[in-house]
Every structure is written in C-alpha cells, then in structure tokens.
Amino acid sequence: MTDLRFTHDPQLRSFASDNCAGAHPEVLAAVVAANEGHLPSYGHDGYTAAFEDLVRDLFGPAATAYPVFTGTGANVVALAMMTDRWDAVICTETAHVNVDECGAPEKLAGVKLLAVPTDDGKLTPSLVESKEWLLGFEHHAQPRVVTLTQATELGTVYSVDELAALCDAAHRIGLSVHLDGARLANAAAGLGVSLGELTTAVGVDVVSLGGTKNGLLGAEAVVVLNPEAVRAPRYIRKLTTQLPSKTRFISAQLLALYGTDLWLRSAAHANAMATRLAAAVGEIPGVQVTRPVQANAVFAILDPAAAEQVRRSYPFYTWDEARGEVRWMCSFDTREQDVDAFVACVAEAANTALPLTTDGPAH
Ligand SMILES: Cc1ncc(COP(=O)(O)O)c(C=O)c1O
C-alpha cells in the first residue's frame, strides 16, 4: 500500500480517499450546537431521539437506528446481530468486510466469510444461490446473511432491480440481507432514487448507513429495517464496543446530514467531480479508465512511472498492483479546479514518464 503521509497543504484536495476530506461546515456547526449543556448519555438524549424519528421517516415505520463510531464498527455490529456462532456471510472478494477490516467481522462478529469473485464488485442471485448447497450440513458454516456494498468498492452501483432480485434470491433460501452503505448516498444520488427505495423497498434487512465519507467528522449508524433479522441489537452494539457514551454528538452529525438535503448535495457533487475526472483523464494518451464511474470513484491504469510522478504532488492508492490499476476518489468538497489541476498533473506525467505497456505495467 502506498504511504500516503504528506505535508499538510490546506489548498490541496486529495484524490486518495473521500476520508481525506475534512468535515462539512454544516456538520461542524451542528456539533457545536449539540455542545450546549448536560444531556443524558448512551443515546438517551434528544438528538438521538430525533435521529430515530428521522430514520423512521426515511426508511419506514419499522426501522430502528443504532449510531456507531465507524463503518467497520457498523458492519461488525450489523453482522453480529444477524448471525449465530455457526453462521457464514456471503460477500464479494473485494468487499470491505473481506479485505479492509483486519478480520474484524471474523474475529469480533465471529462469522465465516464466504467471499466470491466478481468482475464488477457486485453479487448476483446466481452467486448467492451457488452457496445454497452448504445449507443443512453440519460440517459447513451455515450461510445466513448476504452482505453487499452500495456503492461498491469498485465504484459501481446496483440498480434497484438488481437489489430486488438479490434480496429475493437471498430470502428465497432463508438468508437475510445486509447492505454496507458507507457510500449509500453516492449510490442514491447516482441513481436519482431515495434511500428507502434502495433499501426498505427492495427487501434489505439491515443497513450500515454511512456518514464519515460524506462529510461527517466520524459517525455512522446501523439501521435495522427488519426486526426479525436481528437479535439483541443494543447488547451487541455495546459488547462490540460501538455504543458511544456521548451519543448526542454522533446523532447530531447524522441529523445534520440526513435531516436536510446535505447528504444528497454532497454525494451528488462528489459523483459529478468523479465524472468530470474520468472524462478528462480518459482523454489522456496512456491512461485507461477501467471501470464505469457510477459514484465518486475513478479507477484507471497508467504506467507506474507516471503514477509515481503524480504521487509526488497527489498521493493516492494503488488498487491492483499487478494490473497497475489505481483508484482516485472525489469528495463533497472537491472543486472543479482541483479536478482540472489533477488532470493536468496526470497528463504531464503520462507525457513525460515511461509509456503504458499494453499487457500491464513493466516491473
Ligand atoms: C465500503 C466501505 N465500507 C466500510 C468502510 C469502513 O469505514 P471505517 O474506515 O469508518 O471503518 C469503508 C471505508 O473505507 C468502506 O469503503
């Protein structure tokens, strides 16, 4: 993994991750406002009650909300409350739960992950059904949950119909559906649909609702849509270390994002910047955009020497070392001029560094 430490330049917008952006000023203002006085702790405050109401408005009357600190925490809490000790969870090989959570779902939620390869980061009904044969045999961990990521780790987005078909397939064989929605807002903005249309309406059972990547200081929530798919959510959140004592600050952030159109404004903007970036870098000889841009991520192959040259100004991650594929992310505060300056930097590097080889990068 590339070392992304760099001297702080307040003017620089990083394309390494949407986590590199700061917090949105409206969120900071909401946190300052929530700092007034003493309030009950551990979620018994008015901000958390208001967020619980909001979640019912957005996701339907059966929805319950459990604010947590991190996206990994949300996934662990969600999967732990959806499974027993002998259960397994079907996911893609590229799923964040599989590759980027240090084994937390296995170790803390205690589930076996059944990771399936995909080209585009998306599960399909037939991939889910391919694990049906494991059911009912005591020698196999028992598939219990399908977890999918929306938008996916590869910047792709499930359509409403794809989600509905997946949920139907999972439910048909007795599995529940968890959705890692670290970037659910980007998916909804990209598709032009509501959060409920992407979740409750298609049959998702539990959502990890993202916030941090879309301008919060650090706040996410587990949203249970189907109470029958979980057990003991409050106890499980606490024992997996995700119950915030000063929950008001987590809830105030989530309220600032989802209680206004900020989630949509910010996600739509990040998506638009990614579209602008992909269109421009796609015109640069030697740069190949590798995946559809449906949210706020751009994947591209460029010569490693050119990538290194760009990194001197703009650090970013290599996604697939073998293919020389890199990932660039846009944020709620990426400006058009940031994209244009970055594109100019890539163009110069592609022009002056070693040319792209057709069968992958030269090592
Ligand atoms: C798809 C996805 N899920 C979950 C997370 C987890 O977020 P956190 O870093 O807050 O644990 C991330 C963060 O990169 C992510 O990309």
Side-chain angles (χ1 to χ4, degrees), residues 108-356:
L108 301 182
V111 297
K112 180 174 177 59
L113 292 177
L114 299 173
V116 297
T118 68
D119 289 333
D120 57 2
K122 297 203 275 190
L123 289 171
T124 60
S126 58
L127 286 172
V128 169
E129 284 154 6
S130 74
K131 300 294 177 193
E132 186 177 0
W133 69 278
L134 297 170
L135 287 167
F137 190 42
E138 72 203 53
H139 296 275
H140 301 309
Q142 292 298 288
R144 178 75 169 270
V145 173
V146 174
T147 181
L148 49 102
T149 310
Q150 173 78 319
T152 75
E153 291 79 2
L154 299 182
T156 49
V157 164
Y158 290 93
S159 70
V160 171
D161 288 348
E162 286 172 328
L163 289 173
L166 251 178
C167 291
D168 282 353
H171 292 156
R172 204 163 40 238
I173 58 173
L175 312 189
S176 302
V177 178
H178 166 251
L179 188 148
D180 177 347
R183 298 189 183 86
L184 184 62
N186 300 90
L191 292 169
V193 298
S194 71
L195 299 170
E197 283 172 281
L198 277 187
T199 52
T200 320
V202 292
V204 170
D205 295 294
V206 180
V207 178
S208 295
L209 181 64
T212 312
K213 293 179 195 312
N214 202 18
L216 300 192
L217 281 166
E220 320 273 318
V222 176
V223 176
V224 176
L225 305 176
N226 172 11
E228 287 175 17
V230 305
R231 77 214 138 95
R234 293 194 178 280
Y235 296 105
I236 286 175
R237 177 176 54 167
K238 177 66 182 181
L239 81 80
T240 48
T241 78
Q242 287 290 315
L243 173 60
S245 53
K246 296 187 181 178
T247 312
R248 65 163 133 162
F249 293 114
I250 306 292
S251 300
Q253 293 177 64
L254 291 161
L255 274 172
L257 189 64
Y258 289 109
T260 69
D261 69 349
L262 182 59
W263 68 271
L264 186 55
R265 260 189 284 141
S266 293
H269 177 78
N271 291 358
M273 291 301 100
T275 300
R276 182 183 183 93
L277 173 59
V281 290
E283 296 294 314
I284 299 172
V287 178
Q288 181 196 341
V289 174
T290 48
R291 302 175 190 280
V293 177
Q294 296 173 337
N296 62 330
V298 177
F299 290 81
I301 290 177
L302 73 167
D303 191 274
E308 277 322 300
Q309 189 169 315
V310 177
R311 278 199 180 94
R312 278 179 227 142
S313 309
Y314 296 92
F316 55 83
Y317 291 106
T318 295
W319 183 260
D320 183 336
E321 193 81 47
R323 276 161 41 96
E325 187 180 35
V326 302
R327 187 195 72 167
W328 297 319
M329 302 292 301
C330 294
S331 307
F332 72 88
D333 66 348
T334 307
R335 300 163 300 192
E336 289 184 354
Q337 65 262 37
D338 302 318
V339 173
D340 298 347
F342 181 70
V343 170
C345 183
V346 174
E348 194 192 328
N351 193 27
T352 54
L354 290 172
L356 179 78

